[in-house]
Amino acid sequence: MVDQDKIKEAVKLLLEGIGEEPFREGLLGTPDRVARMYTELMAGMDADVSEPLSKVFAVEHNELVLEKDIFFYSMCEHHMLPFYGKAHIAYLPDGKVLGLSKLARTVEVYARRLQIQEQMTGQIADAIMEYLAPQGVMAVLEAEHMCMTMRGVKKPGSRTVSVAMRGVFEGNAQLQDQVYRMLKLGQG
Ligand code: ZN
């Protein structure tokens, strides 16, 4: 659970630390606003993917499913700056599929906490394997990291792509290529 009082105290200290005056008019409401903002941005810490991932439908044919362009916003745990972009999730069912909005909900649960993109990619794939138990999952995340673009090496527009494969996708180049073709991504 987010402790709003602690965040407010910390923001006041941060403001002092950067040489600001926390009690000047423009900053008076800032600790409170930031505390409420973090409650929203970290909501995934208290959320559970078992809820969205438990709504499944039976299917007769196990055709590849790809949900692409699921937009997300997360926060890198190294700098506490946003990274944001798109998640694409493919899976080969084993008799059951998910409602499409459930994949977006799953991404949201893992995005709304301090994260590392590679870890988040793996968590999404693992959760789908655990709760849906498909033949395999492939999760691709592409994101721009503010800690790369507004500070440090300053490479605006550069994106980090991470991939996690589980089950039948592991070592199956044909299946992986099918997903990349559907994404029109990874073609050079
Ligand atoms: Zn960072």
Side-chain angles (χ1 to χ4, degrees):
M1 238 0 223
V2 167
D3 183 332
Q4 295 216 355
D5 288 333
K6 274 193 177 168
I7 297 175
K8 285 183 218 169
E9 281 307 305
V11 173
K12 276 181 209 145
L13 278 174
L14 179 62
L15 288 169
E16 285 174 14
I18 62 179
E20 268 290 358
E21 295 159 30
F23 296 105
R24 73 175 170 82
E25 200 187 346
L27 292 176
L28 262 184
T30 297
D32 188 55
R33 274 190 295 269
V34 173
R36 279 183 281 121
M37 179 187 74
Y38 269 100
T39 304
E40 186 182 339
L41 296 184
M42 298 298 128
M45 293 174 72
D46 298 318
D48 190 345
V49 288
S50 67
E51 194 263 309
L53 290 179
S54 62
K55 310 273 190 321
V56 298
F57 306 96
V59 285
E60 268 180 52
H61 303 287
N62 292 316
E63 314 281 8
L64 185 65
V65 177
L66 170 66
E67 175 80 358
K68 59 190 263 187
D69 297 338
I70 303 169
F71 283 86
F72 71 86
Y73 291 88
S74 189
M75 299 272 275
C76 91
E77 69 178 32
H78 298 134
H79 303 91
M80 295 178 73
L81 281 172
F83 67 96
Y84 54 93
K86 295 183 282 190
H88 318 288
I89 303 169
Y91 65 92
L92 195 63
D94 189 9
K96 48 195 181 172
V97 294
L98 288 164
L100 290 183
S101 67
K102 308 304 179 195
L103 289 175
R105 291 265 308 281
T106 301
V107 170
E108 194 77 342
V109 168
Y110 291 114
R112 295 204 172 259
R113 56 179 79 177
L114 294 182
Q115 266 293 12
I116 298 168
Q117 181 180 332
E118 295 84 344
Q119 171 181 278
M120 179 176 156
T121 312
Q123 285 171 334
I124 292 167
D126 288 336
I128 293 165
M129 284 305 280
E130 183 179 349
Y131 290 99
L132 181 66
Q135 296 178 58
V137 177
M138 180 165 159
V140 181
L141 265 61
E142 40 177 326
E144 181 168 328
H145 291 246
M146 296 297 279
C147 60
M148 293 266 293
T149 56
M150 74 179 284
R151 59 160 289 285
V153 290
K154 290 200 184 72
K155 292 267 183 262
S158 72
R159 288 178 305 164
T160 303
V161 180
S162 52
V163 184
M165 289 178 237
R166 303 288 185 270
V168 288
F169 285 90
E170 288 179 88
N172 187 332
Q174 204 183 343
L175 205 48
Q176 294 166 17
D177 283 348
Q178 195 178 346
V179 174
Y180 286 129
R181 273 199 305 278
M182 289 163 85
L183 288 175
K184 292 190 177 67
L185 186 147
Q187 303 289 309

